Amino acid sequence: MAVIQATDADFQSVLQNNERVVVKYFADWCGNCRLFSPKFKRMSENEEFAGVAFVDVNAETSPETRKLAGVTNLPFFAVFKNGELVEGTATSKEEYVQDMVRKLS
């Protein structure tokens, strides 16, 4: 599944249309965010995570969506199940993000 680009305008719709969602909050100036992008895309294409929506949100241009997950630092990852925040953390470790997504099963 391709990574979905979301903003404040459509984020609630993404949550409503997908039972399990993992969000990467980023900023254009964030080097670690850019370095994580190919890993996030690869995760979205992994069969193990079929049925999970992978979403990119620019934290600078989507303040309401950023507040919803309590973003403190970038890159920040949050997992939602049935529209509710399950967990969120700032990390650059792919294994940690994978573990977060596995908890959604």
Side-chain angles (χ1 to χ4, degrees), residues 28-46:
D28 293 332
W29 51 262
C30 173
N32 284 337
C33 300
R34 284 194 299 275
L35 290 172
F36 203 93
S37 286
K39 297 173 190 176
F40 198 63
K41 183 177 187 326
R42 196 169 46 248
M43 286 172 58
S44 75
E45 296 166 349
N46 187 332

Side-chain angles (χ1 to χ4, degrees), residues 14-83:
V14 171
L15 288 182
Q16 290 170 1
N17 293 324
N18 298 280
E19 179 186 346
R20 298 177 297 157
V21 177
V22 58
V23 183
K24 177 182 68 140
Y25 294 89
F26 71 95
D28 293 332
W29 51 262
C30 173
N32 284 337
C33 300
R34 284 194 299 275
L35 290 172
F36 203 93
S37 286
K39 297 173 190 176
F40 198 63
K41 183 177 187 326
R42 196 169 46 248
M43 286 172 58
S44 75
E45 296 166 349
N46 187 332
E47 272 303 308
E48 180 184 359
F49 303 126
V52 176
F54 284 74
V55 181
D56 265 346
V57 172
N58 186 324
E60 292 192 307
T61 59
S62 298
E64 295 305 313
T65 302
R66 183 179 70 231
K67 285 182 207 161
L68 190 63
V71 174
T72 56
N73 211 336
L74 298 174
F76 190 94
F77 297 87
V79 288
F80 293 84
K81 188 165 186 177
N82 298 319

